[in-house]
Amino acid sequence: MGKQALSPGDPTSFSRPELVAVTHIHLDLNVNFKETKLQGRADLTLNPRSQETTQLVLDSRDLSITSVKVQSTGQVLEYSLGTPIGTFGCSLTIQLPANVSEGQIISIEYETSSSASALQWLGAEQTVGKRHPYLFSQCQAIHARSMIPCQDTPSAKITYSAEITVPEELTVLMSALQDDSETQSSKAQPGTKVHRFRQPIPMPTYLIAIAVGHLESRQIGPRSRVWSEKELVDLAAFEFDETEMFLETAEALCGPYVWGQYDLLVLPSSFPFGGMENPCITFVTPTLLAGDKSLANVVAHEIAHSWTGNLVTNRTFEDFWLNEGWTVFVERKIKGRIQGEPARHFDAIGGLKELHETVERRGASDPLTCLVHDLRGVDPDDAFSTVPYEKGHTFLYYLEVQLGGAEAFEPFMKAYLDHFKFKSISTDDWRNFLYDYFPGKHNILNGIDWDSWLHKPGMPPHIPSYDTSLSDACTALADRWRKWQETPPKPFNPTDWASLSPEQHVEVLAQLLAGPALTPSKVEILGKTYNLSTTKNCEIRFRWIRIGLKARWEPAIAPALEFVTEQGRMKYVRPIYRDLYDWEEARPHAIATYKQNRASMMWVSAHTVAKDLHIQE
Ligand SMILES: CC/C=C\C/C=C\C[C@@H](O)/C=C/C=C/C=C\[C@@H](O)CCCC(=O)O
Ligand SMILES: [Zn+2]
């Protein structure tokens, strides 16, 4: 496809909101588990931005459109679907009636494809309870168009409402507030129920989300419940019982939480991400259920998105760092408030290691290691990495130090979020506000190497010197393991581990993984000394498996294949599949396991792992 932007406003969207904006979407959909399709209607409320406009251009991917009408009159409108382009789907162009007025509603009858890229349909046998089917969505970055005909660009924000019909024994959750007026559906569909939702806060379409399953909930705070299949709900309630503390800390830093409810949904294990910041209901992976709350930083991250990303949104995904770099910065501010600044710095040190591995893997000249991206002709799923998160965080931390520390930067952060709330912005908008906010510090701002930070590939031009008081013990233990010549008696024992926190265990293994490969015999002794093969903590298990694969320790292959089969979180499965592929002896097992698992993987996971394994889909 080459470097071709799909539209002047957003390289990854066909839509033209600058001509006619969709301001509200109402969904009336039946969830058809038998055909694995959503079937029904999307009513789009329009706001014409220029009287000359005669067309509404939407994004669509594998949608079957039945009809397009003016809701008030029933007037049938002509429409056409453009030629599909790669994974971007195609344009849906609707010929509008003359003199479209603000508030006019266009009704689109449609159904999704049975393999819509935003949706995963699970049979009962794929769930924990084994008795009911399950459906969940993942729209970020550009999959909403496979679920709804819409302007699938974060440059446009919509409110939405929905009536969702499902089998009466199932629960429906959406990224919206639930209307209590649940009613039995019409006689047309006995045994079903209609669930109603409304999202009054304008948001980008990538935050539209749905989940349907046999779910239970537990109250974990004054504005929070945790939802999951019943087998996990008490575990989840324990794991995430700090949620209200995180919310209150975030409000003190960022301003009022505008979304009302803050629920958590623990998804089936195929969910491809640690968490997804769907408003009112964050979706999380069950791999966070470590039993010791040590992975709850992901919840702090998703809570932070309630401001950075969901309230102030990147105009296109080329400025994705405005969503993720700021969110990591706020996530670690929350950690600093609750556990102290050394803990904030400890996480930043770990994040830098992940950034370094990404830059090493992609290559320090890869344009996708720039902070601001050029996504013309690039599927955001293929561009996704830790770069916007960790290079973005490092940049904001650097600016905080340059501009006078937290007492100067935190008020700026709160003012920035208030100034741009409900809007979509670019990096230039953000930088202009920074200059306006600090009129007396332009000498400092003009001394920033903006071009290197924003547009140069590779590691950041400056690496902050973080407080190492919590990582020093990890470095000392990792160094002892690296330097040991394996001469008996072994100078290690379980008390080494017992004196460290789960987060520090992760850091020790991260340091060993980042260094030269260990010998297979040393890996064997490491695993036995600290019982690493039986850990319930997925962050530890992930790094332990990778240390074994890097050492070409054969007993690591089976646990690796088991781990990538048990769960579908891409943070874990992609590096492990790549490590297996790089080990010639393990490669055929990796390819066979992928082919066996592909049908039960979310689209984005199967798509990206196929590329990692050099398999033509
Ligand atoms: C730089 C590329 C530009 C845009 C990419 C945008 C979205 C990519 C799409 O794949 C969705 C990503 C969703 C991520 C959700 C949660 C992450 O913050 C956590 C990822 C790591 C984890 O599993 O913990
Ligand atoms: Zn995020």
Side-chain angles (χ1 to χ4, degrees):
M1 184 189 151
K3 281 188 166 296
Q4 176 195 339
L6 299 184
S7 74
D10 182 337
T12 67
S13 168
F14 296 96
S15 68
R16 303 297 303 274
E18 75 280 8
L19 302 177
V20 185
V22 175
T23 56
H24 182 86
I25 295 178
H26 178 74
L27 299 170
D28 183 350
L29 295 172
N30 175 49
V31 178
N32 186 330
F33 278 99
K34 188 164 174 293
E35 296 182 40
T36 66
K37 290 179 178 177
L38 299 179
Q39 297 162 320
R41 212 183 62 250
D43 299 335
L44 278 52
T45 302
L46 306 185
N47 178 11
R49 294 284 163 81
S50 72
Q51 279 315 314
E52 295 74 58
T53 307
T54 59
Q55 292 181 334
L56 170 64
V57 183
L58 303 174
D59 294 295
S60 168
R61 183 173 176 181
D62 305 326
L63 298 179
S64 301
I65 309 292
T66 310
S67 72
V68 181
K69 295 177 182 170
V70 176
Q71 187 190 57
S72 56
T73 62
Q75 179 190 352
V76 173
L77 300 178
E78 295 298 312
Y79 64 89
S80 61
L81 289 166
T83 307
I85 296 180
T87 54
F88 295 98
C90 67
S91 60
L92 167 58
T93 303
I94 297 169
Q95 302 305 324
L96 293 173
N99 306 319
V100 170
S101 56
E102 185 173 348
Q104 189 140 26
I105 295 174
I106 304 291
S107 290
I108 304 173
E109 293 277 348
Y110 77 100
E111 68 176 33
T112 61
S113 150
S114 57
S115 56
S117 61
L119 303 174
Q120 183 162 28
W121 301 82
L122 300 174
E125 71 288 351
Q126 293 173 283
T127 66
V128 178
K130 308 278 184 238
R131 293 181 53 233
H132 301 279
Y134 204 117
L135 161 69
F136 65 83
S137 68
Q138 168 57 38
C139 286
Q140 193 184 37
I142 59 170
H143 296 287
R145 63 190 70 175
S146 75
M147 195 164 97
I148 304 163
C150 60
Q151 294 177 321
D152 197 14
T153 167
S155 60
K157 291 194 172 184
I158 55 145
T159 56
Y160 84 90
S161 52
E163 298 174 71
I164 309 292
T165 302
V166 298
E168 60 192 0
E169 68 276 12
L170 300 183
T171 298
V172 187
L173 298 172
M174 291 195 81
S175 52
L177 300 172
Q178 285 178 306
D179 277 347
D180 296 336
S181 55
E182 271 189 23
T183 56
Q184 200 71 24
S185 74
S186 67
K187 295 283 177 294
Q189 294 193 70
T192 65
K193 256 190 186 178
V194 178
H195 297 250
R196 291 184 167 76
F197 300 88
R198 62 185 176 82
Q199 177 50 263
I201 306 284
M203 49 162 249
T205 52
Y206 74 79
L207 290 176
I208 297 174
I210 186 169
V212 182
H214 196 257
L215 305 174
E216 286 194 8
S217 71
R218 295 288 185 275
Q219 197 80 26
I220 56 172
R223 48 190 158 176
S224 301
R225 289 166 296 186
V226 62
W227 295 84
S228 73
E229 288 191 74
K230 68 171 187 290
E231 292 80 3
L232 298 176
V233 74
D234 290 321
L235 268 176
F238 169 77
E239 202 77 38
F240 304 131
D241 71 4
E242 301 164 299
T243 296
E244 180 59 21
M245 176 173 57
F246 291 158
L247 281 165
E248 289 172 8
T249 306
E251 284 185 299
L253 284 161
C254 301
Y257 177 78
V258 302
W259 304 92
Q261 188 72 8
Y262 182 82
D263 283 358
L264 287 156
L265 169 65
V266 181
L267 274 301
S269 60
S270 59
F271 189 66
F273 299 109
M276 181 61 212
E277 63 269 20
N278 300 313
C280 303
I281 184 147
T282 281
F283 285 16
V284 293
T285 166
T287 64
L288 299 184
L289 302 178
D292 58 13
K293 306 181 193 179
S294 65
L295 307 182
N297 65 296
V298 172
V299 174
H301 180 95
E302 305 313 336
I303 285 173
H305 268 305
S306 307
W307 290 267
T308 50
N310 294 8
L311 202 58
V312 180
T313 307
N314 52 212
R315 180 170 298 148
T316 76
F317 287 108
E318 295 186 321
D319 292 305
F320 190 48
W321 84 273
L322 289 175
N323 277 20
E324 297 302 344
W326 265 111
T327 297
V328 173
F329 186 80
V330 174
E331 166 203 335
R332 290 177 181 154
K333 278 283 182 183
I334 292 169
K335 181 139 198 178
R337 286 288 199 287
I338 294 170
Q339 297 185 24
E341 278 296 281
R344 175 190 177 209
H345 289 223
F346 177 80
D347 279 8
I349 290 167
L352 262 186
K353 237 190 278 343
E354 293 187 12
L355 175 61
H356 189 261
E357 183 187 7
T358 299
V359 170
E360 288 285 291
R361 177 171 55 80
R362 280 189 179 272
S365 59
D366 182 335
L368 288 176
T369 61
C370 297
L371 193 56
V372 178
H373 293 303
D374 177 352
L375 289 183
R376 288 175 296 167
V378 179
D379 182 328
D381 286 334
D382 296 335
F384 180 72
S385 78
T386 57
V387 169
Y389 296 75
E390 292 300 342
K391 199 171 191 179
H393 165 270
T394 305
F395 186 28
L396 293 167
Y397 180 89
Y398 169 74
L399 285 171
E400 180 177 54
V401 171
Q402 296 300 312
L403 291 165
E407 56 276 17
F409 203 74
E410 286 182 6
F412 155 71
M413 179 171 75
K414 195 177 269 189
Y416 157 70
L417 293 169
D418 185 57
H419 182 79
F420 288 115
K421 63 188 175 198
F422 311 123
K423 293 189 173 68
S424 301
I425 65 166
S426 66
T427 296
D428 284 347
D429 296 328
W430 162 80
R431 181 166 55 173
N432 292 338
F433 183 78
L434 186 69
Y435 267 82
D436 292 348
Y437 185 84
F438 290 107
K441 298 189 176 178
H442 286 191
N443 56 321
I444 296 171
L445 291 172
N446 291 337
I448 304 288
D449 183 355
W450 293 101
D451 188 51
S452 294
W453 276 106
L454 298 177
H455 304 295
K456 287 253 173 72
M459 287 299 283
H462 170 83
I463 302 294
S465 51
Y466 293 117
D467 173 317
T468 61
S469 53
L470 285 176
S471 61
D472 287 343
C474 310
T475 305
L477 183 55
D479 283 350
R480 285 206 300 123
W481 274 100
R482 210 175 283 120
K483 290 170 183 160
W484 179 48
Q485 297 304 308
E486 299 186 55
T487 42
K490 174 187 73 170
F492 305 102
N493 62 59
T495 54
D496 306 330
W497 217 236
S499 63
L500 299 175
S501 69
E503 293 90 340
Q504 288 174 308
H505 296 162
V506 172
E507 177 61 18
V508 172
L509 298 180
Q511 292 199 23
L512 290 174
L513 182 61
L518 303 180
T519 61
S521 53
K522 192 176 276 190
V523 171
E524 180 126 18
I525 296 166
L526 173 71
K528 284 186 176 143
T529 305
Y530 304 138
N531 290 323
L532 295 177
S533 298
T534 57
T535 181
K536 292 276 176 290
N537 182 313
C538 285
E539 290 294 317
I540 292 171
R541 185 174 173 193
F542 167 60
R543 290 168 179 82
W544 161 239
I545 287 170
R546 296 196 68 198
I547 286 171
L549 295 175
K550 187 171 185 177
R552 300 296 185 257
W553 183 53
E554 296 222 18
I557 295 176
L561 298 173
E562 190 182 336
F563 192 40
V564 297
T565 299
E566 268 177 28
Q567 52 77 45
R569 185 176 177 183
M570 291 201 294
K571 175 183 180 181
Y572 299 146
V573 298
R574 293 193 67 187
I576 287 177
Y577 266 121
R578 287 194 292 259
D579 291 350
L580 287 165
Y581 185 86
D582 290 345
W583 181 358
E584 214 162 316
E585 179 190 334
R587 186 176 303 167
H589 302 291
I591 292 171
T593 299
Y594 166 74
K595 289 182 174 174
Q596 202 172 5
N597 294 347
R598 179 171 38 195
S600 60
M601 293 170 80
M602 183 99 196
W603 183 90
V604 64
S605 309
H607 168 81
T608 47
V609 170
K611 292 195 171 195
D612 294 331
L613 296 177
H614 307 282
I615 294 170
Q616 284 305 317
E617 285 290 59

